[in-house]
Amino acid sequence: MKLNIAVLPGDGIGPEVTAQAIKVLKAIALEFDHMFLFKEASVGAIAIDQENDPLPDTTLKLCKTSDAILFGAIGDPKYDNNPSAKVRPEQGLLKLRKELGLFANIRPVKAYETLLEKSPLKKEIIQGTDISIYRELTGGIYFGEKKLSEDGNTASDLCEYSREEIERIAHLAFKAAQNRKKKVTLVDKANVLETSRLWRKVVTEMAPNYPDVALDFLFVDNAAMQMILNPKQFDVILTENLFGDVISDEASVISGSIGLLASASVGNKYAMFEPIHGSYPQATGKGIANPIASILSAAMLLEHFGLLEEAELIKEGVNKSLKLNVTTPDLNVTYDNVSTNKVGDFIADFISNPKDSNLNFTNIHLGQSTII
Ligand code: IPM
Ligand code: MG
């Protein structure tokens, strides 16, 4: 298969982790005889620095003429700490999602058997967790009208949803559940918010079209508690933009590190694949950022194009790296740490030689050992 992939590394650790995903995709192309062509463009704080625009037209154009987009990370502390900044890096990502119509953001969360001890949550609580979060991505409070009074003392953000916006993502969530454990949980705040009541109404009306799927509801405050109290109760979580943002960061604790969580953002025409984590500026350039979220986002990209065997091989490589402790410090405080680059090398190498990688693992750790 030939795929034109737009690469938007973005800010902070974005370029380092994206480079590992590309490495892995190149290994897949070689093994399976595909042709993946990568073209890079800027987005975020770096694009503001270079072109005074967090999403330059050339970047948007590249995305629109590519088959898929691989996105790194966005954000810079110089904007986080300056509430009066006129342009912000995040605007680049939000505009990209909106312009490309990426209304559904799918965030898989699972407890890896080999990492059960790494989570701050108890093993018996998280073991077996396998959740797919369907977060609405182009509506709600993120995109509603924003106001700041002239004296700067009053502000508001409008949260708005239409039936159509709810239906299109709810269909995807129901369909996903049909191929999983057949349960959709709508997370909302219908006891307080009008938009949430509309979500409940619309989703309830749709449910009879999916008779094999059980639908239930949770208020977001309760859902946040249930997520760490009994995460195994969830299959597909369907929710609006802001609640999905918050709950997916919380859910990453189950896996052991936010550096493991990948996502796919899809619409009717375009698809973008991005880690759920941010730009982690403190780690930039240190080789300590976990590239697995980006590598698993590349696997989701392949799945999107039906390349299931290829995606599976990447996931096996990831599992093997975790099992053998070939991991960055976020998951590995007691052993020799492995750099971002080495994790990428290991997984790419596994793809080229799935049988041999124990040997390479030994080499990786020998090369770093302080005893030798
Ligand atoms: C995410 C991020 C973004 C969001 C930020 C960077 C705008 O937190 O993808 O979860 O809030 O959607
Ligand atoms: Mg987030």
Side-chain angles (χ1 to χ4, degrees):
M1 181 178 281
K2 183 179 170 197
L3 289 177
N4 289 304
I5 302 174
V7 179
L8 275 49
D11 303 323
I13 59 165
E16 299 162 52
V17 295
T18 311
Q20 309 315 312
I22 293 174
K23 192 185 280 173
V24 165
L25 284 173
K26 284 185 176 163
I28 289 285
L30 210 64
E31 282 310 300
F32 292 82
D33 212 10
H34 297 305
M35 190 193 267
F36 300 150
L37 300 171
F38 301 95
K39 280 199 189 140
E40 207 172 295
S42 67
V43 71
I46 188 157
I48 301 178
D49 291 345
Q50 290 166 354
E51 309 188 37
N52 217 4
D53 184 348
L55 181 66
D57 287 346
T58 45
T59 301
L60 186 58
K61 194 163 164 224
L62 175 69
C63 293
K64 287 189 171 171
T65 51
S66 301
D67 298 306
I69 304 147
L70 197 58
F71 189 93
I74 211 158
D76 188 299
K78 74 180 175 217
Y79 298 94
D80 298 345
N81 305 331
N82 174 13
S84 42
K86 289 274 172 294
V87 250
R88 317 188 66 82
E90 289 78 6
Q91 287 164 345
L93 177 57
L94 299 182
K95 186 171 170 199
L96 196 57
R97 290 172 176 169
K98 193 73 170 179
E99 289 275 337
L100 301 178
L102 306 174
F103 62 82
N105 181 225
I106 302 147
R107 301 186 158 184
V109 180
K110 63 176 216 170
Y112 290 89
E113 271 304 311
T114 46
L115 297 181
L116 292 174
E117 308 294 343
K118 301 277 158 93
S119 172
L121 302 174
K122 289 197 185 91
K123 179 178 165 181
E124 53 280 17
I125 290 191
I126 58 173
Q127 193 163 32
T129 300
D130 181 357
I131 306 173
S132 190
I133 300 178
Y134 275 64
R135 168 190 177 192
E136 202 289 328
L137 203 60
T138 52
I141 199 164
Y142 271 60
F143 291 93
E145 190 186 358
K146 299 183 186 315
K147 284 193 200 160
L148 182 64
S149 65
E150 270 188 19
D151 65 3
N153 290 327
T154 309
S156 67
D157 298 273
L158 180 69
C159 181
E160 201 167 29
Y161 268 110
S162 68
R163 169 179 285 272
E164 193 217 334
E165 285 175 309
I166 298 167
E167 276 175 357
R168 60 189 182 179
I169 184 166
H171 276 303
L172 294 184
F174 277 118
K175 281 186 198 141
Q178 284 182 320
N179 294 317
R180 295 174 46 95
K181 286 175 274 165
K182 303 191 171 28
K183 180 174 170 190
V184 170
T185 303
L186 175 65
V187 169
D188 63 22
K189 188 74 187 172
N191 51 346
V192 177
L193 301 177
E194 203 57 55
T195 39
S196 286
R197 287 192 276 272
L198 183 64
W199 273 82
R200 275 206 189 196
K201 180 171 186 283
V202 171
V203 173
T204 305
E205 283 169 16
M206 291 170 68
N209 298 323
Y210 300 91
D212 51 335
V213 178
L215 172 66
D216 72 353
F217 309 97
L218 272 185
F219 295 140
V220 62
D221 45 355
N222 187 9
M225 182 175 70
Q226 298 294 333
M227 182 64 81
I228 48 174
L229 210 54
N230 177 18
K232 274 177 273 199
Q233 69 184 290
F234 296 114
D235 178 22
V236 173
I237 290 181
L238 168 63
T239 191
E240 60 119 89
N241 204 344
L242 180 62
F243 299 159
D245 180 47
V246 175
I247 228 152
S248 57
D249 267 31
E250 188 196 9
S252 75
V253 175
I254 296 166
S255 295
S257 167
I258 195 165
L260 295 172
L261 261 69
S263 87
S265 303
V266 300
N268 294 328
K269 200 159 170 205
Y270 303 105
M272 180 159 95
F273 301 86
E274 49 177 321
I276 85 153
H277 61 68
S279 61
Y280 193 11
Q282 310 87 312
T284 309
K286 294 190 180 152
I288 57 170
N290 193 336
I292 288 181
S294 186
I295 291 171
L296 288 176
S297 298
M300 291 184 88
L301 184 156
L302 298 178
E303 276 167 5
H304 181 78
F305 290 99
L307 303 178
L308 305 184
E309 198 188 326
E310 289 83 338
E312 200 45 48
L313 192 57
I314 295 182
K315 289 190 214 166
E316 274 175 39
V318 166
N319 284 335
K320 185 120 191 184
S321 75
L322 296 175
K323 197 164 160 205
L324 297 179
N325 231 339
V326 184
T327 51
T328 43
D330 50 318
L331 288 172
N332 191 5
V333 282
T334 55
Y335 209 106
D336 287 340
N337 286 319
V338 173
S339 69
T340 309
N341 200 25
K342 288 247 168 78
V343 174
D345 284 347
F346 178 87
I347 295 169
D349 201 54
F350 173 85
I351 289 163
S352 314
N353 315 285
K355 304 247 149 48
D356 259 14
S357 51
N358 277 327
L359 190 71
N360 293 317
F361 154 73
T362 312
N363 290 340
I364 282 177
H365 280 301
L366 276 180
Q368 287 206 331
S369 169
T370 47
I371 301 164
I372 287 176

